[in-house]
Structures are given as C-alpha cells and as structure tokens.
Amino acid sequence: MNDATAEEAYADSVEGVCALVDHVLREATGEAPPDTTPETELLLSGLLDSLTIMKIVTVVESAYGIALAERAIVAANFRTPQTLWRAIQAEAHTQDGSIGVRG
C-alpha cells in the first residue's frame, strides 16, 4: 500500500487507527501484524517501542492533518488504538475542531 492509499484507509474512526497501527508495524517489522482491534494492548504486549511510536506520530499527523502536541505523545495515549483515537480527537478539537483525513 502506498502512502496516499494507506492514508485514505485511515478513515476518521478507531478502526482507521487500527489500520494505521497495522501499517506502521508491518513497515517496522516486515511481518504481518496481529489483527489489531481497538482494545489491543500495544505497549503491554511489546508491539510498540519508542521508535515505532514516533513513526505512528508522523503517520497520524500526515493522515489526519493535525499536529500532536508534546503533551499528547505520552505512553497513556499509545496504550491501545482506542486511547490513541481519543488523543487524536482531543488534538483535533483543540486545533480546528475537525479531523481531516488527507487523501
């Protein structure tokens, strides 16, 4: 999947965040990631390390058209795709009130 196609797949939903996490994990490891759900424990399971988190931040910012503030880049927000989705929504609301998935 190229970047434009991948970003289109990250529709503004928690399922889109699951697809985004799968994409980054696949690129980082070269292997198919587990079937990520909104409740998948990303940190406790060891799926994410600090470098992978920064890759996710980069893709989130590009895909959703927002900049994650430093205060949002904390472990608690990367615990599961659901917690990451909530952080994305919170950042979008503090910026312009919308999440613009770029295509």
Side-chain angles (χ1 to χ4, degrees):
M1 184 179 319
N2 67 36
D3 287 344
T5 304
E7 290 173 1
E8 290 172 12
Y10 309 147
D12 43 347
S13 67
V14 69
E15 288 78 16
V17 172
C18 292
L20 182 150
V21 169
D22 282 350
H23 175 75
V24 171
L25 289 174
R26 189 176 308 107
E27 284 193 350
T29 66
E31 299 176 9
D35 188 21
T36 303
T37 69
E39 294 79 28
T40 298
E41 289 287 345
L42 299 171
L43 294 177
L44 289 178
S45 65
L47 287 170
L48 300 186
D49 58 19
S50 59
L51 181 59
T52 309
I53 288 172
M54 293 315 297
K55 289 179 181 177
I56 288 173
V57 168
T58 300
V59 176
V60 162
E61 291 180 342
S62 176
Y64 293 102
I66 61 170
L68 290 176
E70 279 187 45
R71 63 176 155 55
I73 306 172
V74 295
N77 287 338
F78 291 86
R79 192 175 60 76
T80 67
Q82 183 67 51
T83 61
L84 180 55
W85 175 236
R86 287 186 195 128
I88 291 168
Q89 290 178 304
E91 285 300 311
H93 289 290
T94 62
Q95 293 176 20
D96 71 358
S98 66
I99 297 173
V101 176
R102 296 179 181 170

